[in-house]
Amino acid sequence: MALFLFDPDTFDDQNDPCLVDVKACKAASDIVSNVGSLFTELNKFESREAVTSLFYERAEDFVDVFFSESEANKAGIKIALSDEMVLCLLEKNKLPIACRALMILDTLIHHHCLVGGKKLIDCLNRIVKAGDKLYELCQRIITRHPDHAKAETVKDSISSFLNHESNLLMQVGDKQRFAKRIHLMYGDGKVRPSMMHDEAIDTTW
């Protein structure tokens, strides 16, 4: 199954029939509900070490929606992650769905990095791909709403995702993508640790 490459720039298209389709709205409602449930459960754990296997199983199942061939699910994702939904949640001082989902996937990536093994490749091909799209949407939110009270939380979720994603890329030996992630993490003038400089990356690999 291929990742549904949702395009953020189409989210505001009010002529899109998915916005008035009953099945799409039901799918969107299910996605929002599922993310909300997982996010609430995630916040109840005192630490990442306390996260249960049941939560990981539910989170893995959630990732499937990004690879669904169902037209209703594809349209549902567009609605759940739309700019209109972002504004609605921010007005209520709540985190947008993309940010909550990114935190859930970030937790999954961290888990797979610790466990290791063959599932790292599956994580790279599924969870990271979906996470990259959510990362782009979160960046879009920060750009459009830089002064919102939730902006720092969104930035923190992005930083955590990039950190754990880079760890996974290092473990599977994807040097090119690892280097790109390091540039994203330290590309705004932040001081890099010595081992994260381009020369050190080339030497290490």
Side-chain angles (χ1 to χ4, degrees):
M1 292 185 292
L3 173 67
F4 168 46
L5 298 177
F6 42 90
D7 181 3
D9 291 327
T10 68
F11 286 172
D12 289 326
D13 186 358
Q14 297 302 314
N15 296 317
D16 193 331
C18 78
L19 296 178
V20 293
D21 183 85
V22 174
K23 290 183 179 179
C25 290
K26 174 64 167 60
S29 177
D30 289 344
I31 291 168
V32 171
S33 177
N34 196 12
V35 171
S37 175
L38 285 167
F39 186 68
T40 298
E41 186 177 352
L42 179 61
N43 284 328
K44 289 181 179 179
F45 298 118
E46 294 182 357
S47 66
R48 289 186 183 270
E49 290 72 24
V51 178
T52 64
S53 58
L54 179 59
F55 175 86
Y56 289 128
E57 290 174 10
R58 289 186 60 209
E60 292 276 5
D61 290 340
F62 164 66
V63 175
D64 290 341
V65 74
F66 294 104
F67 299 86
S68 174
E69 297 296 331
S70 164
E71 292 302 320
N73 279 341
K74 291 179 181 180
I77 290 174
K78 291 180 70 174
I79 296 172
L81 301 177
S82 67
D83 290 332
E84 183 178 16
M85 182 68 79
V86 169
L87 285 173
C88 178
L89 291 170
L90 288 179
E91 286 175 359
K92 297 177 181 178
N93 203 32
K94 294 183 178 180
L95 278 175
I97 300 301
C99 183
R100 300 185 202 187
L102 186 66
M103 290 180 175
I104 293 166
L105 268 59
D106 176 48
T107 302
L108 267 179
I109 294 172
H110 175 69
H111 169 68
H112 282 296
C113 284
L114 292 177
V115 174
K118 295 180 179 179
K119 284 194 173 182
L120 281 176
I121 299 300
D122 181 60
C123 179
L124 183 66
N125 291 334
R126 295 177 70 256
I127 302 171
V128 168
K129 279 186 178 180
D132 282 344
K133 299 304 294 186
L134 292 170
Y135 157 76
E136 291 175 12
L137 290 173
C138 287
Q139 286 282 65
R140 177 187 175 98
I141 292 169
I142 290 297
T143 300
R144 291 191 169 191
H145 311 280
D147 300 320
H148 193 277
K150 293 295 183 182
E152 287 303 317
T153 303
V154 178
K155 289 179 182 179
D156 288 343
S157 70
I158 289 174
S159 177
S160 180
F161 170 75
L162 290 176
N163 181 54
H164 290 129
E165 182 187 30
S166 64
N167 286 340
L168 185 143
L169 293 171
M170 182 170 60
Q171 284 184 249
V172 299
D174 193 331
K175 176 182 176 180
Q176 185 175 13
R177 289 175 67 186
F178 174 76
K180 286 182 178 179
R181 281 295 174 248
I182 294 302
H183 279 286
L184 283 176
M185 292 168 67
Y186 298 100
D188 57 356
K190 295 179 181 177
V191 178
R192 295 195 201 183
S194 57
M195 64 180 295
M196 294 301 180
H197 286 284
D198 293 344
E199 298 81 3
I201 292 174
D202 288 337
T203 303
T204 302
W205 294 67

